[in-house]
Amino acid sequence: MDTVRPLAVVTGASSGIGRELARTFAAHGFDLVLCAEDAAVRTVADELRGRGADVTAVRADLATYDGVEQLHAAVLATRRPVAAAALNAGVGTGGAFTDTDLADHARVIDVNISGTVHLAHRLLRAMVDEDEGRLLITSSVVSMAPGPFQSVYSASKSFLQSFAQALREELKDTGVTVTSLMPGATETDFFHRAGMDDTRLGRLRHKDDPARVAQDAFEALMRGRNRVVAGSVKSRVLGAAVKAVPDRLKAAGQRYLSEPPAAAGPGRRRGRRRRRGRRPKAGRRV
């Protein structure tokens, strides 16, 4: 008799940590349903089919309700239980909050929060019915700190961290586990796509290897751990140390790393001080 391989779902699977998660699942004998918004997800699927995995590639925008439903329909079409799911799709945007288009902030919320909640609800119901399954939610070490110049992105990761831990507690009497993945700065396209190439964080020379992050995440997921600060020793030490630092200091540190040079210029700062020091015009409500 043929051995039935377990099925895993991975989002954000066309590049970075998601692609490495897909490779790691395949290397450990999983078949896959992969999702990303770009055509490169099909290239990853072809690669993993060449390694013996049965792979379904779904090109869908998880910022939209229909995109999540499209992915879920593909999962249902396999007629197989989902043994593991890595909800990894995410986007970010750098820069001052008021200088960034509202549509860009809204997309971060739609992908990172709304899409993750929607897909988790669809997948977890079936896992609970089966009384078996493992769910990985990609948060970040920035979930533990306010994130100036990444304000909405950092807040979205804080939401995901809280969401994952809450789900874990709710499901502790079932056969379903929930693990949050907390990577540090990782060598992916994230900083370029977020417009952060010119920040200190974007220019870091020694970012973590996404393959290492994915391997740490997979091991933690399979062990049923509640969370994992994945990657290098430096990232793990940072993740442990940041818990003891007051929020105001963490915010200042994140500002140092994420503030674009234009925002940090002396003229910009002087202008802000002048605006804060103005008296309101007559008749203006204060």
Side-chain angles (χ1 to χ4, degrees), residues 188-208:
T188 69
D189 292 335
F190 171 83
F191 297 102
H192 177 69
R193 292 178 177 176
M196 297 179 66
D197 287 333
D198 59 349
T199 64
R200 291 183 178 90
L201 190 56
R203 296 196 307 267
L204 283 177
R205 291 184 179 180
H206 301 295
K207 299 184 180 74
D208 287 346

Side-chain angles (χ1 to χ4, degrees), residues 6-86:
L7 181 68
V9 177
V10 181
T11 67
S14 62
S15 64
I17 294 171
R19 179 177 60 198
E20 296 303 330
L21 281 167
R23 288 170 172 169
T24 303
F25 276 111
H28 286 83
F30 282 77
D31 291 332
L32 293 154
V33 177
L34 305 181
C35 182
E37 65 174 341
D38 58 288
V41 68
R42 298 189 181 111
T43 303
V44 177
D46 288 342
E47 172 197 331
L48 299 183
R49 289 185 191 110
R51 300 183 185 185
D54 182 1
V55 186
T56 299
V58 180
R59 185 177 180 184
D61 184 358
L62 299 184
T64 68
Y65 184 92
D66 288 345
V68 177
E69 290 296 296
Q70 178 186 344
L71 171 57
H72 185 234
V75 173
L76 293 177
T78 68
R79 298 183 179 275
R80 298 168 61 181
V82 174

Side-chain angles (χ1 to χ4, degrees), residues 81 125-132:
R125 279 192 161 184
M127 287 182 176
V128 171
D129 286 345
E130 293 284 338
D131 199 32
E132 185 177 11

Side-chain angles (χ1 to χ4, degrees), residues 195-269:
M196 297 179 66
D197 287 333
D198 59 349
T199 64
R200 291 183 178 90
L201 190 56
R203 296 196 307 267
L204 283 177
R205 291 184 179 180
H206 301 295
K207 299 184 180 74
D208 287 346
D209 179 1
R212 168 72 180 276
V213 171
Q215 184 61 40
D216 289 348
F218 179 84
E219 291 175 1
L221 182 67
M222 291 300 104
R223 291 173 183 169
R225 290 179 55 187
N226 67 329
R227 63 181 180 178
V228 55
V229 179
S232 64
V233 172
K234 179 179 69 175
S235 291
R236 294 198 296 272
V237 170
L238 176 63
V242 74
K243 298 177 186 177
V245 179
D247 277 355
R248 63 181 180 82
L249 295 181
K250 288 188 282 193
Q254 287 296 316
R255 177 175 190 150
Y256 174 79
L257 291 171
S258 300
E259 187 172 22
R268 180 75 175 263
R269 283 198 292 264

Side-chain angles (χ1 to χ4, degrees), residues 2 61 88 94-95 106 112 119 140 148 156 164 176-177 190 192 220 225 227 232 239 251 258 265 280 282 284:
D2 292 336
D61 184 358
N88 171 77
N112 298 8
L119 185 56
S140 169
S156 75
V176 180
T177 62
F190 171 83
H192 177 69
R225 290 179 55 187
R227 63 181 180 178
S232 64
S258 300
R284 180 176 294 176

